[in-house]
Structure formats: structure tokens, C-alpha cells
Amino acid sequence: MTIKSVTQTFSVGIEQPDKLITRNLAHIMLVLLLMTGCNQSLKRTPLSQSLAHYTVVKGDTLYSIALRAGVKIDQLIDLNDLAKPYTLFPGQTIHLKPKNRVFKATSRRYKNHPRTHRLQARKPTNSDNKNTYIAENSKNPLKIRWHWPLTGVVVKSFNQSGRKGIDIAGKLGDTVLAAASGKVVYSGLGLLGYGNLIVIRHDSHYLTAYANNRRLFVKQGQVVRQGQKIAEVGQLSEIKPSLHFEIRRDGKPINPLSYLPKR
């Protein structure tokens, strides 16, 4: 064997491990790409066609929900009466189908029997008490009286805030209270323009949001009672310390002053 052939053989011998390593690295990169693709596909898992409502989770957008539900964004906007910039809160209920129900008529034969009881007259309800409502759940009726989350002057009304809530003036570090009992569905810093945010679900229709906080004292999943300390008033940029407070029904912001007790 010549020196040249020996050199070539030796060279091939030391190149083989490099090629093997290269192939292994390529294989690992391919696996990682496939795993990333799987994670992305999980985020885009289609929603069931029979699903009438969807509960928003962190990271959801109107576009992603529409994509997964197989409906147009305009349809979701109309169904849920959403307004720009279409901010979604975790725990918010999004209707995927029209709310109208269709009842099938059934024909039955009834025998004439004398009535053995008298109809009781219903007592008139007091419609002036705006800060009280009955939850639309006949199995578990819940009566809620709204409570002011902060004792301060309203410095920005519902209309002034773009019909997104009200701003209540306060001092840095003032106590923020839960406006009603419920479950915390979001607590953290994740929505642009809201600062440290807390969202509480009170029933299948109502949410309250507390934004611009300095400190948060409750965590996601925690059950809170009305009047419980949940945060401290904070300050965004050069704006004076205040609490941004929202009440939402079925995802749509409503005027809190129509629900909070008069002061």
C-alpha cells in the first residue's frame, strides 16, 4: 500500500464521525421543527362545530377564535356586539352562534280538570334599584349588589373613556376592592394599556376589570368576596393615580354608573 492510499484511507476514517454528527444534528433540528409545528397546531385546534359559546383564555385573539371556530371575524363582532379595539379578557364568553332559540311545537291532548288552586298575584318589582340584578340561572339564582371598588371621584366617565369603563381618582397605594363576589379569571400584566390587571367573573354573564394597579393581591383561580382587598392603585406614565374600572356583560362594556350605588 502506497503512502497516498494510506493517507486517503486515514482521511476517510476521520471524516466519517463528522458526517455522522452532521446527520444527527440535522435529525435533531428536524425533530425540533416538528415539535414546534405540533405546538402551533395545538394552538390552532379547530373548535367543535356544535359549540355555541367559547371562554377566552390568555393569548386568544378575535382572529384566532374565528379561525378555530371556522367563522368570519365580522360574524363574531356582530354576534357579541364588540367594539374596537376588540380587547378580549380571559374568562370572557364569546358567542359562536346566534342566540335565537328555535322551539318545536308539540301537540298534546289535555283533559278538562277543574283547577284546585288559585293563581297568586305577582308582587311588583322595584326597577329603580339599578345596582341589583338576578343572575339568569334558575338552578342557582344569585342576587348581587354592586359595590364601589374605590372611594374616589370619577375623573373619566364611560363616554370619555371610549365607552370602555370609568376612571376613579385615588392616591398611589389606595386599596382596590372587589365590586362583587366571584372568581379571579385573570391576574397579571398582559393586556396592552391596562397595566397590572385583575378580571373577576361573577356569573355566566358578568365580568369586572380593575386596571392600572400598582400591586395585585389575588391570583388567577382564587375566589374572592365582595369588598375584599384585591389590589393597590397605581399610576401609568404621567397620568395621576387612578383605577380604571369596567363592568362587562357577555363581553360588552356597559356603563358602571348604571349599576354602582349612588353616592
Side-chain angles (χ1 to χ4, degrees), residues 40-96:
Q40 293 297 328
S41 64
L42 288 175
K43 294 180 181 179
R44 299 175 183 176
T45 304
L47 299 175
S48 172
Q49 294 296 321
S50 61
L51 193 65
H53 312 286
Y54 175 76
T55 302
V56 178
V57 298
K58 185 178 180 180
D60 279 340
T61 63
L62 201 60
Y63 173 79
S64 68
I65 295 174
L67 184 66
R68 294 174 61 196
V71 299
K72 296 181 179 179
I73 294 181
D74 292 341
Q75 182 179 343
L76 289 184
I77 293 173
D78 292 338
L79 286 176
N80 297 277
D81 197 15
L82 299 175
K84 293 182 179 180
Y86 310 126
T87 303
L88 302 182
F89 287 147
Q92 178 176 335
T93 300
I94 295 296
H95 300 286
L96 305 178

Side-chain angles (χ1 to χ4, degrees), residues 62-259:
L62 201 60
Y63 173 79
S64 68
I65 295 174
L67 184 66
R68 294 174 61 196
V71 299
K72 296 181 179 179
I73 294 181
D74 292 341
Q75 182 179 343
L76 289 184
I77 293 173
D78 292 338
L79 286 176
N80 297 277
D81 197 15
L82 299 175
K84 293 182 179 180
Y86 310 126
T87 303
L88 302 182
F89 287 147
Q92 178 176 335
T93 300
I94 295 296
H95 300 286
L96 305 178
K97 295 182 178 181
K99 303 177 185 179
N100 297 333
R101 297 180 180 179
V102 178
F103 295 92
K104 295 182 179 179
T106 57
S107 59
R108 295 182 181 179
R109 295 181 180 179
Y110 294 94
K111 296 181 179 180
N112 294 327
H113 293 289
R115 294 186 179 184
T116 58
H117 63 278
R118 296 180 180 179
L119 295 177
Q120 296 181 351
R122 294 183 178 180
K123 296 181 180 180
T125 57
N126 183 7
S127 59
D128 294 334
N129 193 1
K130 295 182 179 180
N131 59 311
T132 303
Y133 76 89
I134 303 298
E136 297 177 11
N137 184 351
S138 58
K139 295 182 180 179
N140 186 23
L142 180 65
K143 189 174 183 179
I144 294 181
R145 295 181 181 275
W146 298 98
H147 184 281
W148 280 84
L150 180 67
T151 56
V153 178
V154 176
V155 292
K156 187 176 289 187
S157 67
F158 186 64
N159 292 328
Q160 291 173 330
S161 66
R163 304 182 70 81
K164 298 285 286 183
I166 60 174
D167 286 1
I168 307 172
K171 297 179 180 179
L172 202 62
D174 277 354
T175 298
V176 177
L177 307 175
S181 299
K183 184 178 182 179
V184 179
V185 294
Y186 184 81
S187 177
L189 181 65
L191 292 180
L192 185 64
Y194 282 85
N196 282 319
L197 172 69
I198 291 175
V199 181
I200 300 176
R201 172 180 288 279
H202 305 289
D203 66 0
S204 59
H205 295 284
Y206 286 90
L207 294 171
T208 51
Y210 313 76
N212 304 347
N213 299 294
R214 183 176 70 173
R215 296 178 61 191
L216 307 178
F217 295 99
V218 292
K219 298 180 179 179
Q220 184 172 329
Q222 183 176 340
V223 176
V224 296
R225 65 183 185 279
Q226 184 186 64
Q228 179 177 336
K229 181 178 181 179
I230 59 173
E232 286 182 354
V233 173
Q235 182 177 4
L236 291 181
S237 65
E238 297 179 357
I239 302 174
K240 293 183 179 180
S242 64
L243 170 71
H244 178 74
F245 176 67
E246 296 184 13
I247 298 179
R248 294 197 175 203
R249 176 181 169 85
D250 296 329
K252 180 183 178 182
I254 53 181
N255 191 350
L257 297 181
S258 298
Y259 287 76

Side-chain angles (χ1 to χ4, degrees), residues 18-60:
D18 291 340
K19 291 181 180 179
L20 181 62
I21 293 173
T22 302
R23 286 199 298 270
N24 288 339
L25 287 175
H27 179 71
I28 293 172
M29 291 298 294
L30 179 60
V31 172
L32 290 176
L33 287 174
L34 290 174
M35 291 177 62
T36 303
C38 291
N39 289 336
Q40 293 297 328
S41 64
L42 288 175
K43 294 180 181 179
R44 299 175 183 176
T45 304
L47 299 175
S48 172
Q49 294 296 321
S50 61
L51 193 65
H53 312 286
Y54 175 76
T55 302
V56 178
V57 298
K58 185 178 180 180
D60 279 340

